[in-house]
């Protein structure tokens, strides 16, 4: 087996996932010019060709030859889909070895970007804040004069009519299962089965973009590494996928957010990357005692160590670090917890995303009371910390945060 084959996994000849220089070298190894590698790169990542046959930029004879030699695109295959009443879609993605992960498409995002200083945040906050900016709302608003924003807004409405969304967020998985064992998370129940490769991570995005006919550059796409798995326990492949997405698929890293449960050495490595998504840290508790209970990994790296590591990230001018905080009824959602969060984050360029816990079978927590959520948010804001409540997306199809699991056994509709 050549180095190139082994770099994409034992015995596989997968093109998707290879970087430009690797594809150029591969083309030369076939006795072709390096430029063929450039063409394959464009076909895989810009045209989103799903098979060698579809790489029409290559001469037919070459396509036939490489397919006969066993080369294939081999990006994850969308095998099942479920659609929520709110437009969210959840996909079951199958890898070459039969393992599956889930990927989620959220037209109009989920509100997670608000206040983080990104382009996506500016777009979101300029739209209808605090509610799901569904088609009917926006269209109704467009018809009365109180709808602010002028021409740009009217263009948005045109896009909305054509495509059913003005921007969308894709939530990607990084591992099959997860080893971290957070007590409130359904993915944790699976344990860890394996890491995804960079191609399998970026390939989820390619498959979803192809399904929706998205043209990157024209359409506004945000990515969140918040699906199944802990990206920072699969650091190298995760970062390689970021490079594929940025350099291959032309999605700017400023439109990407990675969420970690808090792997301290990886946060420090991440701080030194020149191309990197924005960071979200799943804080989820205001002190180590509660956090150890709900996130046992806190015994390895406590809150102080994590905040110190986050502090080493050189933030860009408009960038804020997001702290995610899953509200579990009576466990971490009381006023004393809000006060502790304020004390922890004082002085940091930070914002807090409050996530109302999404229930899952066999998980014995309670959802917080709406009034407790409201008080918690108000206390943070009054204390000077921007705080947003994440819109739950796709709860009816188990696509919301922490509800992702390989669900072949659940009632999903087949792919259309
Ligand atoms: N492993 C990474 C990213 C995936 S989880 C991490 O933990 O950060 C993405 C987010 O969903 C995390 O903030 C996590 O705390 C949250 N989450 C997990 N289970 C949840 C649930 N049942 N309800 C709401 N949020 C949940
Ligand atoms: Fe893993 Fe994140 Fe779920 Fe924790 S919350 S078990 S780190 S996926």
């Amino acid at each position: 087996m050549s180095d190139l084959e082994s770099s994409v996994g034992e015995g596989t000849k997968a093109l998707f996932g290879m970087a430009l220089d690797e594809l150029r070298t591969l083309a030369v190894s076939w006795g072709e010019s390096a430029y063929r590698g450039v063409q394959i790169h464009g076909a895989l990542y810009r045209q989103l060709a799903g098979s060698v046959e579809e790489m029409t930029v290559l001469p037919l004879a070459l396509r036939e030859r490489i397919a006969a030699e066993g080369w294939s695109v081999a990006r994850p295959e969308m095998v099942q889909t479920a659609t929520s009443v709110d437009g969210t879609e959840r996909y079951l993605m199958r890898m070459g070895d039969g393992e599956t992960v889930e990927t989620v498409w959220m037209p109009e995002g989920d509100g997670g970007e608000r206040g983080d200083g990104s382009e996506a945040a500016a777009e979101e906050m300029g739209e209808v804040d605090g509610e799901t900016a569904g088609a009917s709302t926006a269209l109704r608003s467009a018809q009365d004069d109180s709808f602010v924003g002028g021409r740009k807004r009217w263009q948005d409405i045109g896009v909305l009519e054509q495509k059913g969304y003005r921007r969308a967020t894709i939530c990607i998985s990084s591992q099959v299962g997860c080893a971290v064992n957070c007590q409130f998370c359904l993915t944790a129940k699976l344990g860890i089965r394996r890491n995804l490769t960079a191609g399998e991570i970026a390939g989820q995005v390619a498959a979803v973009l192809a399904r929706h006919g998205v043209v990157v550059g024209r359409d506004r796409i945000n990515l969140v590494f918040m699906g199944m798995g802990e990206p920072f326990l699969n650091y190298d492949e995760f970062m390689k996928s970021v490079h594929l997405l940025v350099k291959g698929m032309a999605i700017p890293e400023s439109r990407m957010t990675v969420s970690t449960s808090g792997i301290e050495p990886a946060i420090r490595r991440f701080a030194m990357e020149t191309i990197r998504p924005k960071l979200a840290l799943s804080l989820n508790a205001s002190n180590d005692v509660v956090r150890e209970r709900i996130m046992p990994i806190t015994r390895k790296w406590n809150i102080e160590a994590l905040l110190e590591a986050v502090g080493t990230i050189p933030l860009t001018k408009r960038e804020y670090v997001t702290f995610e905080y899953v509200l579990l009824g009576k466990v971490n959602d009381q006023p004393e917890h809000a006060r502790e969060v304020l004390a922890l984050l004082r002085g940091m360029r930070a914002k807090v995303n409050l996530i109302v816990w999404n229930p899952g079978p066999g998980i014995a927590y309670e959802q917080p009371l709406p009034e407790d959520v409201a008080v918690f948010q108000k206390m943070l804001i009054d204390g000077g910390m921007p705080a947003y409540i994440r819109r739950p997306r796709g709860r009816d199809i188990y696509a919301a945060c922490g509800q992702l699991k390989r669900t072949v056994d659940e009632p999903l509709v087949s792919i259309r």
Side-chain angles (χ1 to χ4, degrees), residues 184-185 226-227 229-230 259-261 282 284 324 326 357-358 401-402:
F184 48 82
C185 173
M226 297 188 185
E230 170 47 59
S259 174
T260 180
S261 57
S282 297
N284 295 347
E324 291 162 293
V326 180
W357 177 66
N358 295 306
C401 293

Side-chain angles (χ1 to χ4, degrees), residues 261-406:
S261 57
I263 312 298
E264 191 252 10
I267 297 172
R268 290 183 183 273
R269 255 180 99 182
F270 185 72
M272 293 188 297
E273 301 286 353
T274 45
I275 295 178
R276 61 163 178 83
K278 288 179 278 90
L279 184 74
L281 181 84
S282 297
L283 182 62
N284 295 347
S286 57
N287 61 60
D288 285 332
V289 175
V290 177
R291 199 171 191 273
E292 274 186 24
R293 218 177 324 135
I294 64 174
M295 299 179 72
I297 196 170
T298 309
R299 274 184 236 126
K300 194 146 188 190
W301 298 292
N302 66 15
I303 295 176
E304 190 187 352
L306 297 178
L307 294 182
E308 251 184 61
V310 168
T312 64
I313 299 176
L315 298 178
T316 61
K317 222 156 80 212
R318 299 191 320 164
E319 190 180 352
Y320 283 71
V321 173
T322 300
F323 289 89
E324 291 162 293
Y325 197 98
V326 180
L327 291 162
L328 303 164
K330 307 293 179 232
V331 173
N332 64 358
D333 65 344
Q334 296 301 299
E336 70 260 27
H337 301 128
R339 270 188 291 275
E340 283 180 330
V341 169
L342 279 171
L344 282 177
L345 304 184
R346 185 154 294 130
M348 293 187 75
R349 284 257 304 248
K351 65 140 184 162
V352 175
N353 269 356
L354 299 170
I355 312 173
V356 171
W357 177 66
N358 295 306
I363 309 185
Y365 286 105
E366 275 171 36
Q367 290 202 286
L369 299 172
E371 52 270 34
D372 287 346
V373 176
V375 168
F376 202 98
Q377 183 188 27
K378 185 169 187 313
M379 285 183 65
L380 292 187
I381 293 171
D382 289 351
M385 181 55 56
Y388 302 86
I389 299 173
R390 267 273 274 279
R391 289 196 295 264
R393 298 296 312 258
R395 258 196 203 157
D396 54 337
I397 53 161
Y398 265 73
C401 293
Q403 294 189 310
L404 301 185
K405 188 167 169 284
R406 291 167 314 122

Side-chain angles (χ1 to χ4, degrees), residues 153 183 221 230 265 282 343:
R153 276 290 166 271
Q183 299 295 297
I221 295 298
E230 170 47 59
S282 297

Side-chain angles (χ1 to χ4, degrees), residues 33 74 81-82 84 92 95 102 109 123 126 154 179 188 191-192 211 213 220 232 260-261 294 313 320 337-338 395 414:
S33 75
T81 175
S84 162
L92 189 70
M95 313 295 135
E102 296 190 335
E123 285 160 16
W154 281 99
I192 178 77
R211 169 177 171 83
R220 300 182 216 154
F232 281 7
T260 180
S261 57
I294 64 174
I313 299 176
Y320 283 71
H337 301 128
R395 258 196 203 157
S414 285

Side-chain angles (χ1 to χ4, degrees), residues 139-148 154:
L139 290 175
R140 204 175 334 106
S141 308
Q143 282 152 11
D144 77 48
D145 287 341
S146 65
F147 198 66
V148 287
W154 281 99

Side-chain angles (χ1 to χ4, degrees), residues 21-36:
D21 53 341
E22 292 172 326
L23 289 168
R24 288 167 61 103
T25 311
L26 182 63
V28 171
S29 79
W30 292 335
E32 297 283 326
S33 75
Y35 184 67
R36 292 284 183 225

